[in-house]
Amino acid sequence: MSAGRIIVAGLVGGIAMFSWGAIAHMALPIGEMGFKSLPPEAEAKLVPHMKSEIKERGFYFFPGGDMHTATEEQTKAWEEKLRQGPQGILVYQPAGGEAMGPMTLGTEFASNALASLMLAIVLSRVRGGWSVRLMIGAALGLFGWASLCVSYWNWYNFPTDFTIGQGIEQVVGGLFAAAGVALVLGREKTLAH
């Protein structure tokens, strides 16, 4: 199978995956499962304080501590804070930004197209028709979800409904991408060497 055909299959799969993501986030509740806004009173108090105290963009966790350099006593104190709560993470961008700017949408599409290109490379080497290719797409979506989202649920306490929503989005996204790829690759059933 030609490299050009595989690249086109990856692009078509990327378009299908990107389109599914838009549907999941804008037309269905799947993309927002588990999301909550801060209560307005809390946001009014917290945001000005964060602006004055946190200057760097980052992924912050609390209670904080450096587990690599902490003494045994510091580790025990951190564990006690963790037990008593609250605990959480903060993904923070002090400069703000656009909700769905061209750069954000372009990056999302590029990541979907890259993932679909990898899927097209795999599916171009697989014997079988539509059903086999769709199952592989769904399985790879499930693999990505289990290896990332379930770990975030486990280690960072991401909400269960958020994690389930991401599972639905990834598995269905894998199906959509595989359908787009399979459409371009056609019904060739021979292994590439």
Side-chain angles (χ1 to χ4, degrees):
M1 189 166 297
S2 74
R5 190 167 175 185
I6 292 171
I7 290 169
V8 170
L11 287 173
V12 171
I15 292 167
M17 189 176 194
F18 185 82
S19 299
W20 159 246
I23 292 166
H25 285 265
M26 297 174 79
L28 301 173
I30 295 167
E32 281 87 36
M33 287 174 67
F35 278 81
K36 293 182 182 174
S37 293
L38 287 171
E41 305 80 29
E43 184 174 337
K45 291 176 185 174
L46 290 171
V47 170
H49 190 69
M50 288 189 299
K51 280 186 175 184
S52 69
E53 298 296 324
I54 308 170
K55 303 297 183 194
E56 288 184 50
R57 175 182 187 212
F59 181 88
Y60 295 90
F61 67 94
F62 60 93
D66 186 345
M67 298 295 100
H68 299 291
T69 61
T71 65
E72 187 176 331
E73 186 176 294
Q74 289 170 327
T75 299
K76 285 182 181 178
W78 176 79
E79 289 171 348
E80 184 56 33
K81 282 185 191 177
L82 193 67
R83 268 192 289 280
Q84 296 207 5
Q87 59 175 297
I89 59 171
L90 171 66
V91 180
Y92 186 70
Q93 170 57 283
E98 294 182 56
M100 283 195 285
M103 187 69 164
T104 304
L105 291 171
T107 300
E108 183 65 20
F109 175 72
S111 72
N112 291 171
L114 179 61
S116 293
L117 178 60
M118 298 301 103
L119 180 62
I121 291 168
V122 169
L123 294 184
S124 73
R125 303 184 64 81
V126 168
R127 288 184 187 264
W130 274 81
S131 61
V132 171
R133 289 175 172 172
L134 292 177
M135 284 190 315
I136 291 170
L140 290 176
L142 184 62
F143 173 84
W145 171 77
S147 65
L148 291 173
C149 297
V150 174
S151 291
Y152 294 162
W153 170 81
N154 181 49
W155 291 104
Y156 301 120
N157 297 306
F158 276 40
T160 299
D161 47 352
F162 172 83
T163 305
I164 291 168
Q166 290 301 298
I168 295 167
E169 187 174 347
Q170 295 306 308
V171 171
V172 175
L175 283 168
F176 271 71
V181 167
L183 183 69
V184 174
L185 293 182
R187 300 184 57 86
E188 273 189 46
K189 298 184 180 184
T190 56
L191 284 173
H193 296 293

